[in-house]
Amino acid sequence: MLRTCVIGLGPIGNRHADIHQADPLATLVGVCDWNPERAEAAGKRLGVPFFTDAAKMLESLRPDMVSVATGGHEYGSEHAAATMVALEHGCHVLCEKPISNELEPARKMVALAREKRLCFAVNLNHRFTPACRHARKWLAEGRIGIPRFMNMAMWIGNPRESSPWFHFKALHPHTIDIMRYFCGEIEAVHAFAIKAPGRSIWSTAQFNFRFKSGATGHLTGSYDIMRGHPMERAEVGGTRGRILLEDMFKELTLFPHDSSEKIVVTNPIIGGMGDFTDTFINRIHNFFVELTGGVPHDRIDGQAADALAAQAVIDANIRSMRTGKVERVDPGSWTGNYDLSYGKPGHSPG
Amino acid sequence: MVRTVVLGLDEVGREYARASKRDSASNLVGVYDPDRARAHRLGKELGVPIFDRPEELLEVAKPQVCVLSALEGKETLASDLLSRGIHVLSTLPVAPDAEQCEKLAARDSEKNGILAADFHLRFTPAMDKAREWVSGGEIGSPLFINMNLWRDVPDRHGDNPYHLFVSLGAHGVDVIRQFVGGVERVQCFGVRDKNGIWTSAQINMMCSNGAVGHLTISYEMVTHHPIARCEIAGSRARVVIENVYEDATLYVHERPEKLVLTNSIFGGIPQLSETWFRRLHEFLTSVQKGNLARDTTAVDACAAARVMEAAYHSAERGSVEEVES
């Protein structure tokens, strides 16, 4: 049984704590927030010791694993400090996204975890669904052949105006992770964005991508559309077919070129995904399974290096907005973790 | 009845010939294609005269309207037809480049025939409903538009490496322009086949109404699955048109229910071919009523050609391109 803690007790941190408590592979042993009222409220609600100093909690409780959900500017500026202290105390870490709102702290976080050979994952929860796994299986088997283009879209209503790049940095770790998961490394980008009426941030954007494989990609993102109707869509068109994944887990469709019959996998109402919270449950449980099973730090799924790669793509898009040009993604950020051979003989990780 | 001929019997030309044959406003008086066997097959199917040369067809059939599809030197022929006072409905591309398209469109319509462009994707109830929602302010301030349009490789796309842009892409950008007006800047990443012909492209757009747009086009898909999708989002709602005419859906952000117009099996659009029929019928009706001046599709074809020229320059150069207006 893993001994776990949570640092950062806003709504997301509390959600992590609830999931830790409910998971059969973990025992939540403590929680921490710099705000004493939040720490106390969560500690009492969950029935675990609570702290306002992360180092003291880690020294006192010596957990195996820590969830970091501290937030901060652009939802990520406080991730680095909490993660670094957890890693220094020998804990495996699952950090909320974005790994950090800036690249340099993110690089240091990944480097420290690597140096200490600790598992460091990021909550890229949108793809921890049966439908997304199924889509990747189809891709790996070559069911659509070689990808030629990918389209992705995601939006929510988020009225915060915290920084010009808030929408880019905080929303698109998810979408870019899915795009890399399906089509591999992104080589070059271009962005057009607008500030919706009454807003001061780049709240709606169109991102164009060229993958290293030569396939092309496109991503629409927005903080201007309220939740309630479908909010996410991913499709990949290839030399033998097309797949379409709607709302992360609701429906996956394969349109084969050589048949007029399409294959549809629909989320069942018994035993299927319930709602969006299940993406958190699946993602966190997956990490617990990997830790329990002793999966090496560089083989875990949704690892921080891939979150860093996604942030590097976001950084290139911000540069594109500033220069008005096509910008290249730093190849030093590539991990190769998601490479697929698309049905051809060769390396095809699961 | 309007005396109609079809020159160029590729896939779209044949669609127009069949549409012309069954349209009560039309009298299909001849067809022509340099491939005589192809012309013969269609002539036999439709029971209409075929001709060996365009000149012969014009002399004998004396058409009022000419549908002009894929032919070499099409723009020269179009110019000649217009000079003779024959109205021309041209498939895409209207001319090899935007400049030649503009020259054709700029002809004096008082003395000449009227030039119009295909743009059959506009002619569906789903498009009408989406236009009504968007122009009526249902979506609020426009935010973004996405258009996907794909198919298999057309039977005749020749050696033109840009055919994807000037044909399929121009149709896609016309749908986008229906909702956002002009396109100011574009950026494109594309995919080519082993012969250097562009087969798929992703085109990012900055629209003059303040929205951001995007077009995906591909000749690497198939036609027995959905071929098109358009979505237009604004501050209050989002509209999606599925597969040209199958569904138009309005998602109002603050309301949990969605409003859907579904193509009816009674009186709806039975097949994509119906869109060519409706497009031709409108043109012929305008000819009969003498109000062709309201058909501005030639100007729209020029605008679409300019956007697509900028897109393929972007793909070739790796640049962001301004669209010439």
Side-chain angles (χ1 to χ4, degrees):
Chain A
M1 187 76 89
L2 297 164
R3 290 167 55 81
T4 68
C5 287
V6 175
I7 303 175
L9 295 166
I12 299 293
N14 271 283
R15 182 182 283 187
H16 277 252
D18 288 340
I19 293 168
H20 287 209
Q21 275 200 327
D23 196 291
L25 296 179
T27 301
L28 180 72
V29 295
V31 293
C32 175
D33 196 288
W34 61 266
N35 179 326
E37 287 165 9
R38 282 211 298 213
E40 184 177 355
K44 286 183 173 170
R45 184 180 71 80
L46 296 156
V48 296
F50 54 91
F51 298 81
T52 54
D53 183 316
K56 279 185 183 165
M57 176 178 76
L58 300 174
E59 279 156 21
S60 163
L61 302 177
R62 304 214 167 269
D64 302 302
M65 176 273 179
V66 172
S67 268
V68 171
T70 42
H73 184 56
E74 295 171 331
Y75 281 176
S77 65
E78 294 173 7
H79 289 163
T83 298
M84 296 298 260
V85 77
L87 292 170
E88 291 290 2
H89 282 79
C91 302
H92 304 296
V93 173
L94 174 63
C95 180
E96 262 302 326
K97 62 84 207 171
I99 177 172
S100 171
N101 61 325
E102 300 296 341
L103 281 177
E104 202 43 44
R107 290 190 188 109
K108 286 179 179 163
M109 294 154 81
V110 171
L112 181 60
R114 194 170 286 149
E115 178 194 319
K116 291 186 167 291
R117 307 181 74 78
L118 289 165
C119 294
F120 178 21
V122 170
N123 188 22
L124 302 167
N125 55 311
H126 286 224
R127 65 175 175 76
F128 285 82
T129 74
C132 195
R133 301 293 200 195
H134 206 117
R136 183 166 156 94
K137 179 172 162 286
W138 277 344
L139 288 165
E141 291 169 352
R143 299 286 286 272
I144 68 155
I146 306 297
R148 304 297 271 176
F149 63 81
M150 175 166 188
N151 288 325
M152 177 97 208
M154 184 191 169
W155 42 71
I156 59 172
N158 189 333
R160 289 182 182 83
E161 300 286 321
S162 60
S163 94
W165 309 113
F166 175 46
H167 155 228
F168 283 41
K169 290 182 179 180
L171 189 66
H172 295 298
H174 290 304
T175 51
I176 292 168
D177 184 60
I178 291 171
M179 295 183 80
R180 291 182 65 251
Y181 190 58
F182 286 171
C183 292
E185 304 296 354
I186 295 167
E187 188 176 67
V189 305
H190 171 263
F192 279 137
I194 59 167
K195 296 172 179 175
R199 301 204 69 162
S200 61
I201 71 167
W202 299 105
S203 54
T204 288
Q206 300 277 27
F207 305 100
N208 239 7
F209 299 151
R210 188 177 65 232
F211 291 95
K212 187 180 160 209
S213 68
T216 59
H218 165 249
L219 166 63
T220 299
S222 180
Y223 262 174
D224 298 318
I225 298 182
M226 300 308 292
R227 283 183 191 145
H229 293 299
M231 58 171 282
E232 193 170 305
R233 187 174 190 275
E235 73 183 339
V236 187
T239 50
R240 293 180 55 202
R242 181 168 64 95
I243 56 167
L244 171 61
L245 173 58
E246 292 176 284
D247 259 357
M248 290 170 265
F249 55 81
K250 274 192 175 172
E251 199 153 89
L252 172 67
T253 307
L254 170 66
F255 301 90
H257 285 355
D258 63 0
S259 169
S260 57
E261 293 173 358
K262 58 187 180 187
I263 301 168
V264 183
V265 181
T266 301
N267 184 53
I269 62 168
I270 299 174
M273 296 282 288
D275 68 7
F276 183 66
T277 305
D278 282 0
T279 64
F280 278 70
I281 294 170
N282 286 0
R283 197 283 165 263
I284 292 171
H285 182 68
N286 188 83
F287 192 47
F288 290 161
V289 169
E290 289 173 330
L291 295 180
T292 305
V295 175
H297 67 95
D298 56 354
R299 298 295 297 165
I300 60 167
D301 194 3
Q303 56 187 263
D306 288 302
L308 173 58
Q311 291 305 125
V313 174
I314 292 167
D315 178 70
N317 278 296
I318 293 170
R319 279 188 275 121
S320 174
M321 285 290 294
R322 287 182 169 137
T323 62
K325 295 178 179 172
V326 172
E327 291 287 335
R328 296 189 77 82
V329 176
D330 173 15
S333 68
W334 294 348
T335 68
N337 285 339
Y338 296 153
D339 287 353
L340 286 173
S341 57
Y342 303 104
K344 287 186 173 176
H347 176 62
S348 185
Chain B
M1 293 224 285
V2 180
R3 294 176 66 81
T4 306
V5 295
V6 180
L7 284 82
L9 300 176
D10 65 331
E11 197 177 354
V12 181
R14 293 194 296 275
E15 290 286 359
Y16 271 120
R18 293 182 184 115
S20 174
K21 183 67 182 174
R22 73 181 174 97
D23 193 327
S24 59
S26 164
N27 180 14
L28 183 63
V29 289
V31 294
Y32 163 78
D33 193 89
D35 180 341
R36 197 171 157 71
R38 182 155 80 171
H40 185 75
R41 279 196 301 276
L42 192 76
K44 194 174 169 190
E45 174 193 324
L46 300 178
V48 296
I50 61 167
F51 294 87
D52 289 335
R53 292 177 300 115
E55 298 76 20
E56 183 193 357
L57 176 146
L58 297 176
E59 202 172 300
V60 176
K62 299 193 178 349
Q64 297 164 272
V65 163
C66 177
V67 177
L68 201 48
S69 196
L71 280 177
E72 219 157 286
K74 178 183 181 184
E75 65 288 356
T76 310
L77 182 55
S79 178
D80 180 44
L81 292 166
L82 294 169
S83 299
R84 296 175 189 228
I86 299 169
H87 305 304
V88 174
L89 175 60
S90 175
T91 64
L92 301 184
V94 170
D97 57 49
E99 195 177 337
Q100 292 183 70
C101 185
E102 284 159 3
K103 278 183 185 163
L104 273 178
R107 297 178 70 91
D108 183 352
S109 58
E110 292 295 314
K111 296 176 188 167
N112 299 307
I114 292 281
L115 176 69
D118 178 3
F119 292 140
H120 62 109
L121 298 179
R122 294 185 188 183
F123 293 83
T124 74
M127 274 290 287
D128 291 342
K129 181 53 74 178
R131 270 192 297 256
E132 179 190 318
W133 284 332
V134 173
S135 64
E138 293 276 0
I139 69 163
S141 302
L143 295 172
F144 67 82
I145 180 164
N146 288 325
M147 175 77 191
N148 300 341
L149 187 59
W150 47 63
R151 54 161 299 165
D152 50 356
V153 181
D155 64 352
R156 180 172 175 164
H157 78 306
D159 309 326
N160 182 355
Y162 309 118
H163 192 272
L164 173 74
F165 291 92
V166 296
S167 182
L168 197 70
H171 280 291
V173 85
D174 183 64
V175 173
I176 288 174
R177 291 185 69 257
Q178 295 288 295
F179 297 106
V180 301
V183 175
E184 293 179 353
R185 264 174 294 147
V186 298
Q187 185 278 326
C188 177
F189 288 131
V191 177
R192 299 187 225 224
D193 69 10
K194 59 182 187 302
N195 300 316
I197 291 175
W198 293 104
T199 53
S200 292
Q202 299 275 28
I203 303 158
N204 239 3
M205 298 177 180
M206 181 56 79
C207 309
S208 37
N209 73 339
V212 282
H214 187 271
L215 172 63
T216 302
I217 43 176
S218 179
Y219 278 156
E220 300 185 77
M221 297 292 108
V222 291
T223 52
H224 50 255
H225 293 302
I227 62 164
R229 182 175 188 271
C230 180
E231 73 180 343
I232 313 107
S235 56
R236 285 213 295 270
R238 183 168 62 96
V239 172
V240 177
I241 306 168
E242 291 284 0
N243 212 18
V244 186
Y245 59 81
E246 289 189 326
D247 275 326
T249 305
L250 177 70
Y251 300 89
V252 179
H253 300 335
E254 303 293 341
R255 287 191 215 136
E257 70 271 20
K258 57 189 178 188
L259 184 60
V260 185
L261 172 74
T262 297
N263 184 54
S264 171
I265 62 167
F266 291 105
I269 302 265
Q271 282 277 298
L272 189 68
S273 54
E274 175 71 10
T275 61
W276 284 291
F277 176 84
R278 291 187 182 207
R279 199 286 166 258
L280 177 66
H281 185 73
E282 170 157 312
F283 189 62
L284 296 176
T285 306
S286 299
V287 169
Q288 286 178 320
K289 291 181 178 169
N291 62 356
L292 270 174
R294 72 192 179 101
D295 190 322
T296 58
T297 52
V299 176
D300 293 326
C302 299
R306 284 290 179 195
V307 175
M308 285 298 100
E309 271 188 9
Y312 66 68
H313 284 147
S314 169
E316 292 278 5
R317 299 168 182 163
S319 55
V320 178
E321 295 283 332
E322 298 287 330
V323 177
E324 281 189 50
S325 57

